[in-house]
DNA sequence: CGCTGGGTTGACCCGCGTCAAGGATGGTGG
DNA sequence: CCACCATCCTTGACGCGGGTCAACCCAGCG
């Protein structure tokens, strides 16, 4: 029995639009689910932090014509589901998505949220199937990056290869920030600071969260009630101003301090106690 | 301010043998810390699941001469420390390592354990510095894979590029297994099943853990006392037989069931209720 | 021997989950 | 325009899982 066998995951077997879209990518004639209305990488303001980040204009064009197609997702629509065959990576162009798994007891575990400029489905490369499901939290646009095309292109364009690995690394880094043994308060503070750094305008301290309290709580391993209470406490402490999904961070330094400095998104040079 | 700035991590500033070893790799004349006693990839029994996994014999030779050097680590010795500049990835050849971070309050958070055949330090690619520290749990040997050499080699050998991405994916997949909102019991069960699948002989149900209960507990977000108690409970239930660091898994199916089927390492076709 | 570090066990308690009720908001239809 | 409802969010009361503290055991070792 080859070593690979032991890594197989337990799949839910759902057919989805995304699986079809994945198929589509390998057979470019079939254009179902692939909308033509799309932003060019060369004019996308997120390009610097996305895959074409390190490319010259020429390379970006090559990249674009080689791999990029775009898919529109309505709020609540699935991009792929656990068990779908893996054919493409995805990049969020606008909007935001949630990756989650449902365990055998029926509990939902939110693996990660993905905002504009972020790469999705890296965890599917290993097994060749998506271990998690991905759903749009708001109306979103997602760039489809057929994996085979992407890797062969990466061979031609070293800067692209470099960027793919960087984004894989970022994914691992980001995940580890909340994985530690932190209190509910610390996790929430970390989350807020990280989201602030990852949103479209990272200078802004205004967050418009796309996810429900339930999703946030699942991600942070909290009950939604606890989340609500801690947020209320933060507000009393003057750290934030929370109005439903609109949250204003009043004291970023205070939050970062609560976050126990484990988050890799911490703004550089903004710390209260540099020591 | 470029987007990259916001991702900078707060570094501890330690100089280590590993940092030097990293330097060494870029200046091959300096052979300090690089032992010549090393196993060839072509004769390494772990090669199939390691980086040379998909290579032909010729390619493996090319890979080997291009990048592989070996470093011996005594138990408790550090491979790198948080803040060290990133120059190389590492692969465990024998023994096992612990990656951890220490937060601002002084608590240790174990990011991951790495066993033979596994890739380390992927999380350092993004920032160019190691966010975590890595220490050998037992006497270990580690293959040093200079990053620049590795990526340029990956361009020449598509199978190598493919394998690098697969291992990155595995890393992400593995991390997410324990990240969810599981009970202490579920996390421990998942851990045991995962370690069993990852050890040298995955058929064996005998584990010789290299880490202390404290390390295990830190990794599982538990107090060592809780870990001890749950292990005792597992023993009473006939699931395991625990004698200090030697643990025999008596009922793998029972453990996998407790693990709530969220671990990607679950053995295929061994489930009690396939339904 | 005694010392040391790791592991176990028991008693107690607190952080957070659970359960339940109530409030706000937005969509839909009348 | 309002009535109605579903969904999301908040708040309070209470209980439990697992953390904390302390004592003890056990193996290894000088």
């Amino acid at each position: 029995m080859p070593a690979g066998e032991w890594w197989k995951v337990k799949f839910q077997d759902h057919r989805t639009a995304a699986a079809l879209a994945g198929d589509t990518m390998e057979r470019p004639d079939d254009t179902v689910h692939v909308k033509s209305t799309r932003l060019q990488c060369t004019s996308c303001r997120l390009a610097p932090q996305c895959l074409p980040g390190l490319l010259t204009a020429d390379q970006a064009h090559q990249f674009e014509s080689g791999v990029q197609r775009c898919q529109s997702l309505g709020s609540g629509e699935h991009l792929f589901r656990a068990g779908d065959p893996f054919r493409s990576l995805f990049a969020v162009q606008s909007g935001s998505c949630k990756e989650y798994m449902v365990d055998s007891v029926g509990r939902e575990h939110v693996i990660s949220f993905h905002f504009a400029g972020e790469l999705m489905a890296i965890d599917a490369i290993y097994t060749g199937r998506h271990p998690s499901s991905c759903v749009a939290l708001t109306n979103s646009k997602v760039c489809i990056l057929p994996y085979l095309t992407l890797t062969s292109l990466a061979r031609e364009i070293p800067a692209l290869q470099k960027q793919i690995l960087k984004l894989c690394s970022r994914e691992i880094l980001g995940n580890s920030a909340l994985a530690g043994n932190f209190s509910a308060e610390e996790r929430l503070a970390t989350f807020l600071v990280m989201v602030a750094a990852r949103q479209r305008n990272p200078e802004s301290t205004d967050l418009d969260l796309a996810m429900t309290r339930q999703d946030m709580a699942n991600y942070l391993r909290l009950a939604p009630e606890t989340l609500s209470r801690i947020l209320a406490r933060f507000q009393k402490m003057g750290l934030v101003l929370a109005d439903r999904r609109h949250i204003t961070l009043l004291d970023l330094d205070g939050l970062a301090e609560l976050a126990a400095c484990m988050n890799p998104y911490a703004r550089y040079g903004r710390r209260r106690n540099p020591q």
Side-chain angles (χ1 to χ4, degrees), chain A residues 212-224:
Chain A
T212 65
R213 289 280 191 272
Q214 179 72 63
D215 284 338
M216 241 173 103
N218 279 351
Y219 180 61
L220 296 171
R221 307 191 300 265
L222 294 176

Side-chain angles (χ1 to χ4, degrees), chain A residues 41-55 117 163 166-167 170:
Chain A
C41 284
T42 38
S43 57
C44 179
R45 52 184 299 278
L46 288 163
Q49 38 197 316
C50 192
L51 275 186
L54 304 170
L55 307 187
Q163 188 71 351
K166 268 187 95 165
L167 294 189
R170 180 172 72 176

